[in-house]
Amino acid sequence: MATSISDRRPPAPPPPRRKGPPLDLDPAGWTAAIRAKAGEIGFDAVGFAPARLPLATGEALDRFVELGRHGDMRWIEDRIDWRRSPDALWPEARSAIVLAQNYGPATDPLTNLSCPETGSLSVYARGDDYHEVIKAKLRRLARWLWDESAVELKFFVDTAPVMEKPLAALAGLGWQGRHTNLVSRDFGSWTFLAVMLTGLNLVHDRPHGDRCGSCHACLDACPTDAFPAPYELDARRCISYLTIELDGPVPAEFRAAMGNRIYGCDDCLAVCPWNKFAHLAAETKLAGREALTAPALADLAGLDDGAFRTMFARTAVKRIGRDRFVRNVAIAIGNSGRPGLVPALRPLLADGAAQVRAMAVWAASRLMSPAEFAGAAAGRLPGETDPVVLAEWRAAGVLSEEGT
C-alpha cells in the first residue's frame, strides 16, 4: 500500500487488501471518489496535480541551496535530486493528491508580542502535533484507496523530500504568496499540507493565478528582513529557522528582533489580507492549549528536561528538545526589559547546556545593573571553559581578548 520514503529500512510488502476486486472507475470517477472520501475523513480541501513539478521550480530550489539560504538544514541539500519533483522521488507516481488542513486560530496570534513577560509560540505549535493529527487521517485515506484500487501509493507530512507548497499551488489549493507560503482564498495563510502520490491517473485541477496584487504586507512585517526579494526566503534570517532548526547560539544580529518569540514566528502569515476569509479550525486537536497561549517566561526558564517533555507532550515543540527551547526563552527574557525576571534568568548562567548559558549571558548583560553583572561574571567565569560562552562574556565587556 504505502511506505515512507524517509524510512531507511527496506520497504515492507503491501498489506493484504480487505476488499474484493478493485473498483473499475475512470480518472474522473476516482478523482470524485477520493475528493469525497478526503472530506469525509476530515480534510478541509483536496486538490489533484501531475506528479511532476515544472522545471523552473527545481531551478529555484537549486538556487536557494547554492546561495546557502537553507542554512544548517542539510537534509534539503542531501536529497535535492528527489526534492525537485515527485516523479524523481518515485518514478511510478502518476498523480499527486494534495490535502489541506485549516488551522486558523481563534485570536490574533500577534497580540502576545506586546506582552514581554510571556513567550509567544507559533499558532501551529500550540495544539497537538500536526504531523500526528494529519498522518492519522492520511492512513485512513491510504487504507481506503489501497483497498478500493489495489494501486500502490505513498504518503507523507513533512517526512520526505517533497515540495508541498508548489504542489499545492499546482493542484489549485491556492498560490505561493510573496512570503513563499501557500495562500488560500478560503483559509488565508493558515493551512497544513500533506501529499499522497499514487499510480492512478486522475483528473488534475487547474492552478490559481497569483492574487497578491500589489500587496507586500508580509515582506514589511518580517522582523529580521528574511525576504531578499518577493517570493524568496533566506531561512538563515527567519525567526522560525532560528528558534527551531538552528542549534547553538543565535547570531547576535537577530536576537533583539526576536522579541518574545520562543518557537516560530507568525508575523508574515498573520498580516496577510486574505486571512479575512479564514475561519477557526474545525479540527479540535489543532486548537491551541490555554497553557501555551501566553506562558510566563519565568516559568519556562525553570523547565528541566522532564518538565519540558511533560509540558509539550504531543506538540511539535517537543522535537527541538529542552536545551534549544530554553535558549530561546533566555533570549526572550533578555528582550523583556523586565529586571524582575533576573531571578529566573540567573540559574541559566550555570545551565548544563552551553547554548543556554551563552544566551543567558547576553540576556543578563541587558537586564542586570553593571555591578550585578560584574558579580555574576566573577561567580561564573572561573569555571567556564566553553569557547562560545566565553565569547559572550567577552562581547559583554567583562573578559579581555586574553581571557582575563
Side-chain angles (χ1 to χ4, degrees), residues 4 11 22 53 66 74 104 111 130-131 157 201 225 227 278 326 329 332:
S4 171
L53 284 169
E66 287 167 3
R74 299 304 175 198
T111 300
Y130 72 94
H131 298 87
V157 186
N201 288 309
D225 295 323
F227 302 107
V326 175
V329 172

Side-chain angles (χ1 to χ4, degrees), residues 10-50:
R17 291 176 59 250
R18 298 186 293 212
K19 295 281 186 179
L23 291 179
D24 184 17
L25 298 176
D26 62 11
W30 277 118
T31 303
I34 294 168
R35 195 184 300 275
K37 190 65 177 181
E40 176 188 320
I41 288 172
F43 286 105
D44 292 303
V46 58
F48 303 89

Side-chain angles (χ1 to χ4, degrees), residues 349-369:
L349 293 170
D351 195 84
Q355 62 180 315
V356 174
R357 298 198 305 277
M359 296 301 92
V361 171
W362 177 83
S365 71
R366 293 165 65 89
L367 292 185
M368 291 180 176
S369 68

